[in-house]
Amino acid sequence: MPNISANGMEKTTVPLLEMREIRKDFPGVRALDAVSLTLRAGTVHALMGENGAGKSTLMKCLFGINQPDSGTILLSGQPVRFQNPREALDRGVAMVHQELNQALKRSVMDNMWLGRYPRRFGLVSDRTLYEKTRTVLGDLGISIDPRRTMGTMSVSERQMVEIAKAVSYDAKVIVLDEPTSSLTEEEVGHLFRIIRTLKERGCGIIYISHKMEEILQISDDITVMRDGANVSTAPASEMTMDKIIHLMVGREISHRFPSKSQKIGDTLFRTDGLTSRYTKVKNVSIHLRAGEIVGLAGLAGAGRSELLENIFGLSARDGGTLYLNGREIRNRNPREAIRNGFALLTEERRATGIFGILDITENTTVSSLKRFLSALFFINDRKRYEKTEDIIRRLSVRTASRKTKIRSLSGGNQQKVILGRWLLCEPRILLLDEPTRGIDVGAKYEIYQLMQRLAAEGSAILMVSGELPELLGVCHRIYVMSGGEITGEVAADGTSQEEIMALAAKNV
């Protein structure tokens, strides 16, 4: 907003960042169509839109990962065009990606300063490295040992380290792409305190998120994108949740969650005393009935993801038994689990879910290749292509073709492809770890509908989510975990977020 000087003349404040008329084409797709964005110093500018709307592509054009085909980028009024992320970082533009890319076998301080180690007499000083890392973390109120190995930390802790790394560059423009997708409510509060501190220092934050409540709470301005173009930019104070949703999807969504399936059958799967000292799972006994969606709630580190991995045979168990249709099964490894009708959607799709260098067809059919064998034991590619095209249509995957490399898709569309992979396996037990993480409201609703349809057809679903409204809206029952143990079981329609949180904090 322009300011008025003492003599009554208007004095303009140069925006911290301007992106004007940015265009970007990929083969067969116009990803960005004359998109503009203005970021003011000391503000949070939310960037919203469905998956595939162009948000991440716009930020990649800013950060030097992609080069825009046309348009202008101004940093404090000066034209810039970064050829790579290092140039952007050197000029004070940092980006915290939704999918973390870290050296997991190295320490926190190594990850913080990789490529720019502080040196003394040409040598790296471990003590200086430690002190500089501790100072940055301490300024942000992050209690993590700088010498801790990244691979031993939770996703939420690693996310905090990545944010601290961005701050360590003395960045004036910081892009946060789905920063709270792996954070608990307490950690979200901590992140918001960090953001307010950065605003007070004059930083500008571009905040990408699908969580409406957070956007309205933390943002000063909101830009909504749809199909690669600007739809609206307005002060956050003038926006409502319903208005944002309508702008994002171009249609009304009357309910956040579809009706729950009422066709609940007999017990399909149960665990009896499942225990693993390696994964913090302790004496877990749960049951799933045919047609039922069951939630797993808990704080970060409660053991929810570890429980799913244990059931799927990704980790060894020390005790306990699995039963499917009353018959004992082992699930000693994922291959055996898949044969028994289990499917697992992992939390970190880029690290453990997709094969980034392969196309959509390969990613969709990789777990069900046997069904495409011909009589001569050759893969029938025509059938694979047909099934892939069917999945693309059924799940509304936004892509130029089935030949597109999956790594070039938006996060939500990658998630749809992985779900399609498991649909081809026709699972009886579907284990979902944060299935809507980083996915827009329209795509979320489509995934909820798919889950309800699978349940109505007789499958059972066990779902981990850090969003309590999602668990309450989608699930029939909810198990609560704390410290690797089940601390409670509640009916979704007869409980509250407060009751669930109390159970989640029981062993903390």
Side-chain angles (χ1 to χ4, degrees):
M1 294 290 289
N3 294 325
I4 305 299
S5 64
N7 61 11
M9 298 292 289
E10 182 181 285
K11 60 177 184 179
T12 58
T13 302
V14 176
L16 186 58
L17 171 72
E18 286 184 272
M19 303 184 75
R20 299 176 181 171
E21 303 287 314
I22 304 296
R23 284 184 169 86
K24 180 65 181 176
D25 292 328
F26 294 108
V29 177
R30 170 150 288 184
L32 298 174
D33 189 4
V35 177
S36 297
L37 178 75
T38 299
L39 175 66
R40 297 176 292 126
T43 66
V44 175
H45 195 126
L47 187 57
M48 304 195 71
E50 290 191 274
N51 290 110
K55 307 182 300 296
S56 294
T57 302
L58 182 65
M59 292 300 99
K60 288 176 180 178
C61 287
L62 167 64
F63 199 53
I65 297 172
N66 293 333
Q67 294 301 312
D69 297 322
S70 64
T72 305
I73 301 175
L74 302 173
L75 189 62
S76 297
Q78 300 299 311
V80 294
R81 179 168 290 200
F82 304 125
Q83 298 302 309
N84 52 62
R86 184 55 193 254
E87 286 188 13
L89 288 165
D90 288 342
R91 291 293 301 273
V93 177
M95 184 172 178
V96 178
H97 298 271
Q98 177 185 351
E99 306 291 348
L100 301 177
N101 186 18
Q102 297 166 319
L104 298 183
K105 294 185 179 180
R106 305 297 292 271
S107 68
V108 169
M109 58 189 191
D110 280 332
N111 275 269
M112 285 270 288
W113 305 99
L114 194 63
R116 55 191 180 117
Y117 286 122
R119 296 177 183 272
R120 188 176 183 184
F121 307 118
L123 301 176
V124 176
S125 168
D126 185 74
R127 180 175 180 180
T128 302
L129 197 64
Y130 177 85
E131 292 298 334
K132 285 174 71 72
T133 306
R134 191 176 70 168
T135 298
V136 173
L137 294 174
D139 285 347
L140 299 176
I142 299 173
S143 301
I144 294 175
D145 183 353
R147 291 196 173 94
R148 188 173 172 188
T149 303
M150 293 293 292
T152 66
M153 295 160 56
S154 67
V155 176
S156 60
E157 289 174 317
R158 288 166 48 203
Q159 184 87 297
M160 285 295 186
V161 170
E162 202 68 12
I163 292 169
K165 180 179 178 180
V167 172
S168 74
Y169 278 91
D170 293 325
K172 282 297 183 182
V173 175
I174 301 178
V175 180
L176 301 179
D177 190 354
E178 294 290 345
T180 64
S181 58
S182 301
L183 304 186
T184 64
E185 283 190 35
E186 182 179 349
E187 289 166 334
V188 169
H190 185 190
L191 173 63
F192 284 1
R193 289 192 292 273
I194 291 174
I195 289 174
R196 293 185 185 102
T197 298
L198 294 174
K199 285 175 60 176
E200 291 170 1
R201 296 179 184 175
C203 295
I205 313 292
I206 298 176
Y207 192 97
I208 302 175
S209 178
H210 297 302
K211 298 181 179 181
M212 308 287 175
E213 297 90 346
E214 290 181 5
I215 289 294
L216 294 172
Q217 180 183 349
I218 197 67
S219 303
D220 298 288
D221 303 297
I222 298 175
T223 290
V224 179
M225 294 179 64
R226 185 169 72 239
D227 298 328
N230 287 100
V231 177
S232 171
T233 295
S237 59
E238 297 177 7
M239 290 288 206
T240 65
M241 190 179 300
D242 289 341
K243 186 174 182 180
I244 293 172
I245 291 173
H246 180 68
L247 289 169
M248 283 174 58
V249 303
R251 62 189 188 278
E252 298 291 344
I253 295 182
S254 55
H255 301 288
R256 290 180 64 185
F257 307 103
S259 300
K260 298 177 184 179
S261 169
Q262 301 302 317
K263 296 171 60 177
I264 307 299
D266 296 329
T267 297
L268 183 59
F269 170 72
R270 67 183 177 91
T271 69
D272 184 10
L274 204 61
T275 299
S276 171
R277 65 176 178 271
Y278 303 105
T279 58
K280 299 184 286 188
V281 176
K282 303 174 187 175
N283 195 33
V284 171
S285 298
I286 62 174
H287 70 278
L288 312 177
R289 293 175 292 186
E292 191 176 35
I293 300 176
V294 177
L296 267 180
L299 302 175
R304 297 167 300 165
S305 299
E306 290 82 355
L307 175 59
L308 297 192
E309 292 171 357
N310 203 289
I311 291 172
F312 195 64
L314 278 172
S315 57
R317 66 183 69 96
D318 300 312
T321 312
L322 309 179
Y323 296 93
L324 182 65
N325 281 325
R327 178 178 61 88
E328 183 178 342
I329 59 172
R330 302 292 294 276
N331 284 5
R332 287 163 289 197
N333 52 60
R335 180 178 297 179
E336 185 176 353
I338 293 171
R339 281 203 306 268
N340 285 329
F342 289 74
L344 171 64
L345 187 78
T346 60
E347 178 183 8
E348 293 189 78
R349 57 177 168 262
R350 189 172 295 275
T352 57
I354 67 169
F355 299 92
I357 62 172
L358 302 181
D359 63 23
I360 293 175
T361 297
E362 300 292 346
N363 274 274
T364 302
T365 59
V366 67
S367 295
S368 54
L369 289 175
K370 283 187 177 180
R371 69 181 297 172
F372 301 108
L373 288 175
S374 66
L376 298 176
F377 297 100
F378 290 106
I379 298 292
N380 187 325
D381 284 331
R382 183 178 59 81
K383 287 186 177 180
R384 281 205 308 151
Y385 301 155
E386 288 175 354
K387 284 295 183 182
T388 302
E389 294 286 1
D390 180 55
I391 289 296
I392 289 173
R393 283 193 300 271
R394 285 172 62 191
L395 302 188
S396 302
V397 179
R398 294 189 180 184
T399 177
S401 76
R402 58 174 173 76
K403 297 179 182 179
T404 302
K405 295 285 191 290
I406 193 171
R407 66 186 176 192
S408 68
L409 299 183
S410 67
N413 284 302
Q414 290 178 3
Q415 195 80 313
K416 289 180 181 180
V417 171
I418 302 171
L419 276 170
R421 173 196 302 167
W422 291 120
L423 291 183
L424 292 182
C425 295
E426 300 177 347
R428 298 299 311 282
I429 309 295
L430 194 54
L431 309 172
L432 304 179
D433 196 350
E434 300 287 357
T436 64
R437 178 187 173 204
I439 293 180
D440 64 77
V441 65
K444 277 185 179 182
Y445 193 84
E446 292 170 357
I447 288 177
Y448 298 150
Q449 286 180 312
L450 176 61
M451 292 167 59
Q452 297 293 354
R453 187 162 71 246
L454 290 170
E457 292 170 358
S459 296
I461 298 173
L462 183 59
M463 169 187 176
V464 169
S465 176
E467 297 185 42
L468 293 183
E470 180 174 71
L471 292 178
L472 294 170
V474 175
C475 300
H476 297 88
R477 288 183 297 120
I478 300 170
Y479 287 106
V480 186
M481 293 190 71
S482 181
E485 300 177 319
I486 299 294
T487 53
E489 175 190 351
V490 294
D493 293 336
T495 189
S496 65
Q497 295 188 43
E498 290 75 17
E499 182 182 12
I500 293 173
M501 289 303 297
L503 290 168
K506 200 168 183 179
N507 290 341
V508 176

